[in-house]
Amino acid sequence: DIQMTQSPSSLSASVGDRVTITCRASQSISTFLNWYQQKPGRAPKLLINVATSLQSGVPSRFSGSGSGTDFTLTITSLQPEDFAIYYCQQSFSSVLTFGGGTKVEIK
Amino acid sequence: EMQLVESGGGLVQPGGSLRLSCAASGFTFSNYAMHWVRQRMGKGLEWVSAIGTTGGPYYPGSVEGRFTVSRENERNSLYLQINNLRAGDTAIYYCARETAAGDGMDVWGQGTTVTVSS
């Protein structure tokens, strides 16, 4: 199975900060990489798919980049509603895998 | 409004079985691949099954042989049969719709909780 490794596992940031989360695949997955946001007690929400495609309704401060094995989720100006856990997920293989998650906390 | 509603969770003894259901509405269910994803308390997301419109099912090795996913397009419903339940199966189980292009899961249910305990 393809392993997905996220870093960091958690970070503290302030409103207005630029935040970068990294996701690394154990093998090349082209751009078959998706990002989700999950808030406490809620189901995950798809933010970005195929590495860079922002879902409808997702603020433009979110962006994704990367291909092959290395990917990045960037939040350009962190807002109070962005404090959550973020997961990457590969859809290259028919056996899907998620990263371990990155918790974005308030500093 | 597109919606997925899971049901069927509950408290089950180790070794028991459970069938989870997911009712879809607001979209043409038969046109979409569907997934089950679980989340143990305080832990990350774990994909546990998928079924396509014509292909599948698919499972990770960790659940293959105990989990069976199925669908009834006529009833707009997705199912997950879990046999020989273990403590490690205790989790919230979400059903989710795959995007039309097959890239990510864009509609999620609220989840149903399975607790395996004696």
Side-chain angles (χ1 to χ4, degrees), chain A residues 20-21 23 33 35 48 51-52 63-67 70-74:
Chain A
T20 299
I21 298 168
C23 179
L33 191 282
W35 290 100
I48 290 169
T52 61
S63 65
S65 65
S67 66
D70 294 312
F71 301 87
T72 299
L73 173 69
T74 299

Side-chain angles (χ1 to χ4, degrees), chain A residues 87-105:
Chain A
Y87 295 93
C88 62
Q89 174 246 322
Q90 63 80 18
S91 50
F92 177 83
S93 165
S94 58
V95 177
L96 307 183
T97 44
F98 287 90
T102 296
K103 187 174 185 179
V104 177
E105 298 176 297

Side-chain angles (χ1 to χ4, degrees), chain A residues 9-44:
Chain A
S9 56
S10 66
L11 65 90
S12 295
S14 300
V15 172
D17 283 355
R18 179 186 180 93
V19 167
T20 299
I21 298 168
T22 296
C23 179
R24 175 164 289 176
S26 61
Q27 67 181 73
S28 177
I29 57 170
S30 184
T31 57
F32 292 95
L33 191 282
N34 311 305
W35 290 100
Y36 299 85
Q37 176 193 65
Q38 188 179 33
K39 296 182 179 179
R42 304 290 298 274

Side-chain angles (χ1 to χ4, degrees), chain B residues 29 33 42 80 110:
Chain B
F29 178 73
L80 184 67
Q110 83 291 348

Side-chain angles (χ1 to χ4, degrees), chain A residues 32 34 36 38 42-44 46 49-50 87 89 91 94-96 98, chain B residues 35 37 39 43-45 47 58-59 94 99 103-106 108-109:
Chain A
F32 292 95
N34 311 305
Y36 299 85
Q38 188 179 33
R42 304 290 298 274
L46 180 64
N49 65 353
V50 286
Y87 295 93
Q89 174 246 322
S91 50
S94 58
V95 177
L96 307 183
F98 287 90
Chain B
H35 299 263
V37 176
Q39 186 168 37
K43 302 299 183 183
L45 302 171
W47 172 79
Y58 305 96
Y59 310 96
Y94 296 101
T99 67
D103 301 310
M105 303 172 214
D106 62 349
W108 293 68

Side-chain angles (χ1 to χ4, degrees), chain B residues 70-83:
Chain B
S70 61
R71 64 190 299 162
E72 275 192 90
N73 290 335
E74 300 75 19
R75 292 178 179 266
N76 293 326
S77 292
L78 177 73
Y79 307 101
L80 184 67
Q81 176 75 33
I82 311 175
N83 296 328

